[in-house]
Amino acid sequence: MDISKLPQLIPTKPQKFVSIIIPTLNEEDGIEKTIRSIPKKRLSELGYNSEIIIVDGKSTDLTREIAERMGTRVILEKRRGYGRAFKTGFNEAKGDILVTLDADLTYPAELIPEYIQALNEKGLDFITTNRFSKMQNGAMDAYHRFGNDLLSLIMRLLYSIEVRDSQSGMWIMSRNFIQNINIVSDGFSMSEEIKIIAFTFFKALELDGRYYKRVGKVKLATFGDGWRNLKYLFRYRSLIKGAVKLPLDLNQKESIDVDADPYVI
Ligand SMILES: Nc1nc2c(ncn2[C@@H]2O[C@H](COP(=O)(O)OP(=O)(O)OP(=O)(O)O)[C@@H](O)[C@H]2O)c(=O)[nH]1
Ligand SMILES: [Mg+2]
């Protein structure tokens, strides 16, 4: 995709605030570069003020020290869990728009301005990024890929939602979305849960993403977490009724026109 063909990003007056939320557990290898990869300057040129929130799960390495030295907001979340970390981050965030990243340089932080542009232009509540549309060689082994594809297929079948990458961890969300949902999972299953809620009850889209080779040690236990995520897809069918804080303007969902010109990044 030739990025130069994207519509000219016209700077708007500074009224928007973006919170970038990053969960960390022993990520001293990738945290500094991850923070530097966030295009804060470009965001402010486009009229967005931004904050970076690090939600640390009691790392035993220098993750917090590095993040504090770089002037980010570091929150210590003693309770374990990827989902738990995001729940705390969402509560702490001041932004009108919330963006999530891992602290391991795998996600394209450089594309945050374009994703925010798409969120606003299409009046969306939620965007998730498809890692498989542009994956760096060696970023994910075949075993992992098979597991991801299987989870995504089962999610599509169980919830009739069009998501190619059910486990992607880069989302761009409106405050309206975050304020109106209840998230149950404290673990990695939260990633599939938030997509099910977004695509079932809100205006959501999956856009092309990228996935780069990981820096630092993986925290995800491939088989254990994969199996837990699979079981959670079935279990969540009985939990989904509590997903949205009512009253929600239920005709919100109807008006999305996915057939309009595709917003490819
Ligand atoms: N605060 C907190 N962060 C966590 C916890 N578990 C994982 N993380 C962070 O959540 C992000 C995702 O975890 P990863 O190990 O990268 O999982 P993954 O992205 O599915 O696996 P890879 O594709 O190999 O990167 C990373 O930034 C981790 O440091 C936790 O219990 N608490
Ligand atoms: Mg990761």
Side-chain angles (χ1 to χ4, degrees), residues 46-233:
L46 296 168
Y48 294 95
N49 300 326
S50 56
E51 63 174 349
I52 300 173
I53 301 176
I54 306 295
V55 185
D56 186 71
K58 282 206 296 185
S59 294
T60 51
D61 65 5
L62 295 174
T63 302
R64 283 196 303 283
E65 289 77 2
I66 296 169
E68 269 151 11
R69 183 170 41 79
M70 299 182 73
T72 64
R73 277 180 68 194
V74 179
I75 296 162
L76 180 59
E77 172 51 74
K78 294 196 172 92
R79 294 164 291 183
R80 190 45 67 82
Y82 170 85
R84 180 62 261 168
F86 275 128
K87 288 181 198 178
T88 299
F90 295 163
N91 289 339
E92 292 285 335
K94 299 193 188 79
D96 311 285
I97 294 174
L98 288 75
V99 177
T100 62
L101 289 174
D102 280 5
D104 55 17
L105 277 177
T106 51
Y107 289 105
E110 70 276 11
L111 294 179
I112 291 174
E114 280 80 9
Y115 288 132
I116 291 176
Q117 185 87 356
L119 192 84
N120 289 330
E121 278 195 2
K122 281 194 161 293
L124 298 168
D125 289 299
F126 183 91
I127 287 173
T128 183
T129 63
N130 179 359
R131 296 170 296 172
F132 306 127
S133 11
K134 202 170 182 184
M135 188 172 283
Q136 189 181 19
N137 288 344
M140 190 184 285
D141 61 36
Y143 182 56
H144 243 122
R145 180 66 199 262
F146 172 76
N148 275 280
D149 285 343
L150 179 65
L151 288 169
S152 302
L153 172 64
I154 292 171
M155 188 158 116
R156 287 194 294 274
L157 294 174
L158 288 177
Y159 297 94
S160 317
I161 53 178
E162 265 321 299
V163 172
R164 317 304 316 163
D165 181 5
S166 63
Q167 309 298 313
S168 171
M170 184 174 182
W171 320 313
I172 300 87
M173 305 163 282
S174 70
R175 171 151 294 282
N176 167 57
F177 170 71
I178 287 296
Q179 276 174 339
N180 282 297
I181 63 170
N182 299 312
I183 297 171
V184 176
S185 172
D186 279 354
F188 280 106
S189 308
M190 180 264 188
S191 178
E192 53 198 24
E193 178 177 347
I194 200 165
K195 294 182 188 81
I196 294 167
I197 300 172
F199 282 80
T200 307
F201 299 107
F202 292 84
K203 294 179 188 172
L205 266 188
E206 181 179 49
L207 293 180
D208 288 356
R210 296 182 185 161
Y211 200 61
Y212 305 124
K213 267 194 189 156
R214 194 194 206 289
V215 173
K217 289 188 281 315
V218 178
K219 305 317 170 296
L220 177 97
T222 307
F223 190 79
D225 287 308
W227 176 239
R228 271 186 290 279
N229 288 352
L230 180 63
K231 285 193 294 179
Y232 196 75
L233 282 175

